């Protein structure tokens, strides 16, 4: 099998590339390194791996025959997409259009890495795939939410209009090694600050919740889905829900840090709850998470210690 992974130098993409290569398959990684890291690719080499340094919004043409196009390229951390708002909208729109056309030319399976953010600030919990969500198209966070909604819409349109084999996963908060130290999302931020003995900043009162899934579980679902026939969106996440205040306390405890936790102005349009209903993934993929939060955090802390080095 030959795979194209757009965004392969990023957090999830690099784990996916590693998993595909370990099965003896060939992988082409396309990335512009806007939020990815070269270090995430340092262990990949040989004839099975190829890097194309390119922006997915530029016209794409690849001489080799591709079997599956995994489209992950997009800023994903809120600080990244607030810094790169136009780039985020274009990665989800023009980038998805280009990746879809490449899949069509190759008669490949197209796999879209969408997000729980398409549910916006949800009114019900847990969120299942039928929920249409609550998103305001003009608030700042919409650069990510709306670009992914567009990406889902054009993906389903290619499925209906051209018969392209498509897959959509709506990923809930995922964490693990290979996140950038400066990624800015809660888990890498809290671990970095706890290891440095600095204050962990909570935006809001800390009662907002998220459900965090360890990367190995997410990659397992990424590998399984193209192998079955299923084009409707599938939630992928760990239903183990936690408040952000409890998350911060857990990280401080696990790292043995003397850091304190401080409270700050909430972020604009920050969703208050997020918890996946994974009944669909359980049924069609026979998939469910296997790594609990404490175990996953311990692995992530160890990887961050190696990255940050002695203080
Ligand atoms: P990341 O920022 O670590 O990785 C994204 C990668 O895409 C980076 O390597 C970046 O350089 C690359 N990229 C961005 N724009 C590009 C462009 N225009 N052209 C080429 N490459 C580009 O983020 P991640 O957490 O690994 O997220 C990967 C995908 O999964 C994204 O599509 C994201 O929306 C989705 N997702 C992630 C999570 C999560 O919790 N990590 C949750 C939901 C959805
Ligand atoms: N958050 C926080 N401090 C941080 C980083 C994040 O309080 O240093 C909060 C953020 O406001 C949000 C939650 O933690 O309510 C999860 O944020 P993250 O960026 O991890 O994911 P997302 O908001 O994309 O779900």
């Amino acid at each position: 099998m030959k795979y194209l992974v757009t965004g392969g130098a990023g957090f999830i993409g690099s784990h996916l590339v590693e998993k595909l290569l370990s099965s003896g398959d060939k992988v082409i990684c396309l990335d512009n390194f806007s939020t990815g890291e070269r270090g995430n690719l340092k262990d990949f080499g040989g004839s099975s791996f190829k890097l194309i340094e390119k922006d997915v919004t530029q016209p794409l043409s690849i001489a080799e025959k591709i079997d599956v196009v995994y489209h992950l390229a997009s800023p994903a951390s809120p600080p990244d997409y607030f810094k790169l708002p136009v780039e985020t909208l274009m990665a989800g729109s023009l980038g998805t259009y280009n990746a879809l056309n490449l899949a069509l030319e190759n008669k490949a399976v197209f796999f879209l890495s969408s997000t729980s953010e398409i549910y916006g600030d949800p009114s019900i919990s847990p969120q299942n795939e039928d929920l249409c969500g609550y998103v305001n198209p003009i608030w700042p966070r919409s650069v990510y939410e709306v670009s992914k909604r567009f990406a889902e819409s054009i993906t389903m349109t290619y499925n209906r209009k051209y018969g392209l084999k498509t897959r959509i996963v709506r990923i809930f908060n995922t964490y693990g090694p290979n996140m950038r130290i400066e990624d800015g999302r809660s888990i890498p931020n809290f671990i970095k600050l706890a290891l440095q003995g600095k204050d962990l900043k909570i935006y809001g009162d800390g009662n907002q919740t998220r459900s965090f899934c360890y990367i190995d579980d997410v990659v397992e679902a990424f590998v399984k889905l193209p192998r079955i026939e299923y084009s409707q969106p599938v939630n992928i996440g760990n239903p183990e829900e936690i408040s952000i205040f409890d998350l911060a306390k857990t990280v401080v405890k696990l790292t043995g840090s003397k850091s304190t936790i401080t409270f700050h102005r909430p972020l604009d349009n920050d969703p208050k709850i997020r918890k996946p209903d994974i009944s669909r993934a359980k049924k069609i993929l026979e998939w469910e998470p296997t790594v609990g939060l404490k175990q996953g955090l311990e692995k992530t802390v160890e990887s961050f210690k190696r990255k940050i080095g002695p203080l």
Side-chain angles (χ1 to χ4, degrees), residues 3-41:
Y3 295 91
L4 174 71
V5 180
T6 77
F11 159 52
I12 298 181
S14 58
H15 285 274
L16 175 64
V17 170
E18 184 179 18
K19 179 84 177 176
L20 297 171
L21 289 173
S22 74
S23 310
D25 291 313
K26 292 195 163 54
V27 180
I28 300 172
C29 162
L30 183 146
D31 207 293
N32 69 355
F33 292 98
S34 56
T35 63
E37 289 190 308
R38 283 175 207 281
N40 286 344
L41 305 176

Side-chain angles (χ1 to χ4, degrees), residues 50-287:
K50 189 162 147 186
L51 170 67
I52 301 177
E53 190 165 342
K54 189 176 171 119
D55 197 301
V56 73
T57 63
Q58 298 301 312
L60 301 181
S61 148
I62 290 175
E64 297 147 81
K65 166 93 179 69
I66 311 284
D67 299 299
V68 180
V69 174
Y70 280 105
H71 179 43
L72 281 71
S74 168
S77 154
D80 285 340
Y81 59 70
F82 289 135
K83 231 179 286 158
L84 300 167
V86 176
E87 291 83 348
T88 303
L89 284 160
M90 297 314 287
S93 53
L94 188 50
T96 304
Y97 172 74
N98 286 338
L100 278 163
N101 284 329
L102 194 75
L104 198 58
E105 278 165 29
N106 281 272
K107 297 189 172 57
V109 175
F110 178 81
F111 180 108
L112 175 68
S113 180
S114 186
T115 169
S116 56
E117 293 270 339
I118 64 107
Y119 300 123
D121 193 2
S123 52
I124 61 159
S125 196
Q127 294 86 53
N128 69 34
E129 291 87 348
D130 295 328
L131 181 69
C132 294
Y134 179 79
V135 171
N136 184 333
I138 60 165
W139 67 25
R141 208 174 172 102
S142 70
V143 296
Y144 186 61
E145 297 160 336
V146 172
S147 86
K148 290 291 184 178
R149 283 178 163 224
F150 176 88
E152 288 200 11
S153 178
I154 192 169
T155 297
M156 287 309 291
T157 303
Y158 269 58
N159 174 282
R160 284 188 293 261
K161 187 172 161 89
Y162 304 117
L164 182 69
K165 289 184 181 211
T166 56
R167 309 286 182 265
I168 298 175
V169 285
R170 291 181 180 156
I171 309 164
F172 286 64
N173 299 63
T174 302
Y175 69 100
N178 290 11
M179 293 185 102
R180 279 163 28 236
I181 303 285
E182 300 304 333
D183 178 286
R185 283 174 274 193
S186 51
I187 288 185
N189 233 13
F190 289 165
I191 293 178
K192 173 190 77 174
L193 294 167
L195 291 176
Q196 293 174 338
K198 295 183 182 161
D199 286 354
L200 276 62
K201 291 191 174 124
I202 290 195
Y203 306 127
D205 60 13
N207 288 324
Q208 70 268 39
T209 67
R210 294 292 188 273
S211 305
F212 293 95
C213 194
Y214 189 66
I215 182 66
D216 290 358
D217 285 326
V218 169
V219 167
E220 196 61 35
F222 270 52
V223 172
K224 279 185 150 186
L225 189 55
R227 295 184 185 151
I228 64 161
E229 292 290 332
Y230 195 81
S231 58
Q232 294 299 304
V234 184
N235 283 344
I236 296 297
N238 190 328
E240 196 182 338
E241 190 178 16
I242 185 169
S243 76
I244 294 304
F245 184 38
D246 285 344
L247 175 72
K249 285 190 288 188
T250 306
V251 169
V252 170
K253 197 171 161 203
L254 276 179
T255 49
S257 172
K258 295 198 166 40
S259 294
T260 53
I261 297 170
T262 57
F263 293 85
H264 302 263
R265 202 181 72 78
L267 298 183
D268 292 339
N269 336 122
D270 200 9
K272 286 175 262 324
I273 47 171
R274 205 178 287 141
K275 175 182 164 96
D277 177 336
I278 57 165
S279 317
R280 185 175 285 180
K282 279 185 179 168
K283 187 165 167 217
I284 62 151
L285 284 179
E286 294 175 358
W287 174 91

